[in-house]
Amino acid sequence: MDRRHFLQAGITLGALAAAGSARADAETLRRFHAALSRDSSLAVYADLAGEQSGAATVKGRLPRDLQGSFYRNGPGRFELGGERYHHWFDGDGFAQRWTIAGGKVAHHGRFVETRRFLDESQAGQFLYPSFGTHVARRGVRDNDTMNAANTNLLPFNGRLYALWEGGSATEMDPDTLATVGIKTWREDVQAMPFSAHPKLDPEGGMWNFGALPGANRLALYRIGADGALQRTAVVEVPQLAFVHDFVVSAKHLIFVVPPYDLSADRGRSLAERHIWAGSGPQARPTRIVVVAKDTLAVRQVFELPPQMVFHFGNAWEDGACTRFDLVLHQGDALAGLGSLMHGERQPNTPGRSQAVQVCLDYASGKATTTRLLGASEFPRVMPQVVGQRHRRLALLGCDRANRELVLDTVHLVDTDSGKADSYRFDAGWQVEEHVLVPRRHARSETDGYLVGVAQDTRRGITALTVFDAAHVGDGPLAVASLPYRTAHCFHGNFAGS
């Protein structure tokens, strides 16, 4: 697709917003702080202010060959001018760097200084629409007016990018975390949606997409190892609303489209406009859209029962089929996350989610699933097996004994046998995504480490945790604890030194 037509195919999220009054409110703030006074574990969703730097106290032994920076990103500011956001996904991005060197760990965190963050800081109040909160005190120029830069932190080609899914990547200094500015890969894709979940090719370069809700289109990007945008395309996907992540195999890009309708009510936030269409007599299925890498055109569409999906593991070609991992949620899991902002956790109901492996049979047109693990999220694989056959999948889980949905367990699942090598943290801990880091010249998917972050809500501190990937159940090799709490993050990546 030529540049002019690619640009014309887009629709800004700004076009989905309308001028009106603010709906971030003091009542949400009051309810959250009342709940926080009764339950200190809710501090992981509390507001954060300012910049952070500190040295961690290491308990255990850090492996000598684990050296580098673990970058993390997540929402840090939820409150301003006496108001509080309605959805966890709305907060301003707080980028973090955990530096591991010489047996020591240092931490640095600071807000991504987006246009939104700077304008609202100066005004002392929320000004622009967010994903889950309708605010329209000031006009929106393009998607990047609303860019929260709060979902992932990606080291790529010697640079560092804070990612959101509704607009551009934001470049940051990889050493100081100072905000450099908006990254425009090419003039015609300026301010276009650019997902927070690009897939790095082990041989260099990356694939990414941008969802265009309201336009029923997916924008596709192929970026070379040198950072140059090589290929673009737009594919038509009817009834497209929420698509957060995708997965790549050697030959395909795979998207899963949950059954949502998009309301035309411009007085509501984008999240509120997502109407679940997966229940009742007119329930629609969840669709799997397979795009061929060579043509960037839709090859085939499969169906699953109506379920919600956020995150994927990995995909590979298995003869005439394609297999991939993902976590499926029952019902409208998107809406349930909003309750966290007023201090209400979701119940840990049986069967609410499960990690599965999907087999796409192109000849029969059928998609079948095999269960890997129960209630879980945040699947990751070793970076060297992306797009290839893999046999290990890292996941976070929630113990069945928990009354509320709190991720407190790390798993490394054998995708062939379904057996999990698992470690559950003590009561009061809440675990963030853990990533697999290979040793140099790794010979297997367990030849390395499982590295992540966990929050000790009883002591009000945050810690870096390091496991031997071959012996997760033995517990962490090292826990590096900060003397303070930092923002609870969504995603990140490890960059070796």
Side-chain angles (χ1 to χ4, degrees):
M1 175 170 285
D2 65 62
R3 297 186 182 191
R4 181 174 62 86
H5 284 92
F6 185 86
L7 180 62
Q8 289 175 346
I11 182 172
T12 67
L13 296 182
L16 298 177
S21 60
R23 288 185 58 210
D25 58 78
E27 176 60 17
T28 301
L29 185 147
R30 186 199 65 77
R31 290 177 64 187
F32 176 78
H33 284 278
L36 178 61
S37 68
R38 300 187 299 268
D39 180 4
S40 63
S41 72
L42 290 169
V44 294
Y45 308 111
D47 206 48
L48 199 67
E51 191 170 342
Q52 295 179 324
S53 289
T57 301
V58 178
K59 181 179 180 181
R61 183 183 61 83
L62 285 167
R64 289 186 178 181
D65 59 349
L66 185 65
Q67 307 271 337
S69 296
F70 186 35
Y71 293 105
R72 304 284 296 154
N73 194 7
R77 182 166 74 177
F78 302 104
E79 300 169 9
L80 191 63
E83 298 173 335
R84 183 171 171 86
Y85 281 134
H86 292 176
H87 202 285
W88 189 21
F89 294 176
D90 293 348
D92 291 288
F94 191 78
Q96 301 180 46
R97 180 190 183 195
W98 297 79
T99 305
I100 306 172
K104 297 180 180 180
V105 175
H107 173 265
H108 184 205
R110 63 190 297 179
F111 281 100
V112 186
E113 294 183 345
T114 61
R115 183 189 312 163
R116 181 183 95 153
F117 179 80
L118 294 175
D119 286 355
E120 294 182 338
S121 295
Q122 183 178 32
Q125 63 178 177
F126 296 129
L127 301 174
Y128 303 116
S130 292
F131 175 71
T133 311
H134 178 71
V135 181
R137 291 186 170 116
R138 186 175 294 180
V140 173
R141 189 179 76 184
D142 56 29
N143 292 352
D144 289 330
T145 304
M146 305 174 291
N147 196 331
N150 67 1
T151 312
N152 201 353
L153 205 54
L154 176 75
F156 175 70
N157 188 34
R159 299 177 183 271
L160 183 67
Y161 300 103
L163 302 178
W164 187 53
E165 63 191 50
S168 304
T170 302
E171 185 175 350
M172 307 192 72
D173 185 291
D175 296 321
T176 67
L177 299 183
T179 301
V180 176
I182 290 295
K183 170 63 177 179
T184 299
W185 303 99
R186 203 172 64 195
E187 184 179 350
D188 59 311
V189 300
Q190 184 176 6
M192 286 277 284
F194 189 81
S195 148
H197 286 286
K199 304 305 178 193
L200 297 182
D201 189 326
E203 297 181 0
M206 68 176 169
W207 290 92
N208 205 3
F209 76 98
L212 303 168
N216 295 328
R217 291 163 174 161
L218 288 171
L220 308 178
Y221 311 94
R222 167 64 186 177
I223 297 171
D226 60 355
L229 183 59
Q230 297 176 334
R231 300 171 66 194
T232 58
V234 171
V235 296
E236 301 282 342
V237 181
Q239 297 176 307
L240 175 75
F242 183 85
V243 178
H244 175 68
D245 192 5
F246 76 131
V247 72
V248 301
S249 66
K251 297 180 180 179
H252 300 105
L253 313 176
I254 300 170
F255 303 88
V256 176
V257 183
Y260 282 101
D261 290 323
L262 196 61
S263 164
D265 185 353
R266 301 295 181 88
R268 305 173 73 188
S269 71
L270 185 56
E272 292 168 324
R273 292 176 60 189
H274 280 71
I275 309 302
W276 182 248
S279 56
Q282 302 298 318
R284 296 204 307 271
T286 290
R287 290 168 292 154
I288 303 171
V289 179
V290 180
V291 175
K293 278 184 173 179
D294 56 353
T295 64
L296 294 186
V298 175
R299 173 183 176 181
Q300 201 161 333
V301 178
F302 298 82
E303 293 184 352
L304 288 174
Q307 293 162 96
M308 174 59 183
V309 60
F310 290 104
H311 299 119
F312 296 77
N314 188 40
W316 83 96
E317 310 299 342
D318 185 9
C321 302
T322 303
R323 297 180 186 271
F324 67 97
D325 315 309
L326 79 166
V327 176
L328 293 172
H329 297 261
Q330 298 300 317
D332 186 7
L334 185 63
L337 293 171
S339 64
L340 295 170
M341 286 296 94
H342 56 249
E344 184 178 319
R345 290 188 181 274
Q346 297 171 280
N348 185 26
T349 53
R352 67 176 299 134
S353 70
Q354 61 175 343
V356 303
Q357 189 168 100
V358 179
C359 177
L360 303 178
D361 186 329
Y362 294 102
S364 69
K366 293 185 180 297
T368 56
T369 61
T370 302
R371 183 182 184 275
L372 296 175
L373 191 71
S376 53
E377 250 303 343
F378 298 104
R380 295 292 294 253
V381 296
M382 278 287 190
Q384 71 270 25
V385 299
V386 170
Q388 306 170 32
R389 175 74 164 93
H390 69 282
R391 292 178 171 82
R392 294 294 187 275
L393 184 69
L395 287 156
L396 300 188
C398 177
D399 190 270
R400 287 178 293 180
N402 292 348
R403 294 179 56 189
E404 297 176 326
L405 183 60
V406 177
L407 297 174
D408 61 2
T409 306
V410 291
H411 303 279
L412 193 60
V413 178
D414 184 321
T415 58
D416 290 336
S417 69
K419 293 182 179 179
D421 185 10
S422 308
Y423 176 81
R424 184 188 181 194
F425 283 74
D426 292 336
W429 284 81
Q430 184 161 333
V431 187
E432 295 181 15
E433 173 193 62
H434 277 52
V435 307
L436 287 159
V437 180
R439 292 188 179 94
R440 185 170 296 181
H441 309 303
R443 297 181 179 180
S444 74
E445 294 172 62
T446 57
D447 189 5
Y449 306 102
L450 186 62
V451 181
V453 172
Q455 307 266 355
D456 183 347
T457 63
R458 293 186 173 182
R459 291 194 294 158
I461 63 169
T462 303
L464 177 82
T465 56
V466 179
F467 295 82
D468 183 338
H471 304 285
V472 174
D474 292 346
L477 298 172
V479 176
S481 300
L482 297 174
Y484 51 82
R485 177 191 75 84
T486 189
H488 190 66
C489 290
F490 290 140
H491 302 288
N493 297 276
F494 189 88
S497 58

